[in-house]
Amino acid sequence: MTNPWDDRFEALLRDALRFLPPDEALRPDLDTNAAGLDSMATVELLLSLETAYDISMPDEFLRPETFASPGALWEAVCAVRAIQSEPA
């Protein structure tokens, strides 16, 4: 992971990870499925991230690997923000 995530990302992700204790660190390599990110929570998280960061996640990012860990998801958010902030 090249960019540390911000507090907003951590809060949104923690809300979606129902099995992650509040006092446990959110590590970049955490298995989000094991921490409670199911398919419904993934959709809700995606919509929350798109709203919070004013992005639209392209189809090529909508795959299990993107949501497999906090680090992978943050990298995807950063990549989409970079792409969508480029002048047309």
Side-chain angles (χ1 to χ4, degrees):
M1 185 175 82
T2 57
N3 300 321
W5 54 70
D6 59 26
D7 292 338
R8 176 174 43 178
F9 176 81
E10 181 150 348
L12 291 171
L13 190 51
R14 280 188 173 280
D15 283 346
L17 301 177
R18 65 180 189 266
F19 300 144
L20 182 68
D23 60 338
E24 186 173 324
L26 186 61
R27 299 179 331 273
D29 63 344
L30 175 77
D31 179 344
T32 55
N33 288 328
L37 189 67
D38 60 20
S39 59
M40 281 300 289
T42 299
V43 171
E44 291 172 4
L45 177 59
L46 172 64
L47 295 173
S48 295
L49 290 169
E50 287 182 330
T51 299
Y53 292 99
D54 194 26
I55 59 174
S56 180
M57 196 71 78
D59 289 347
E60 60 265 21
F61 286 90
L62 302 179
R63 54 191 175 164
E65 298 83 17
T66 300
F67 296 87
S69 70
L73 184 54
W74 180 244
E75 289 297 323
V77 168
C78 289
V80 171
R81 289 175 73 191
I83 292 166
Q84 294 180 359
S85 69
E86 291 177 355

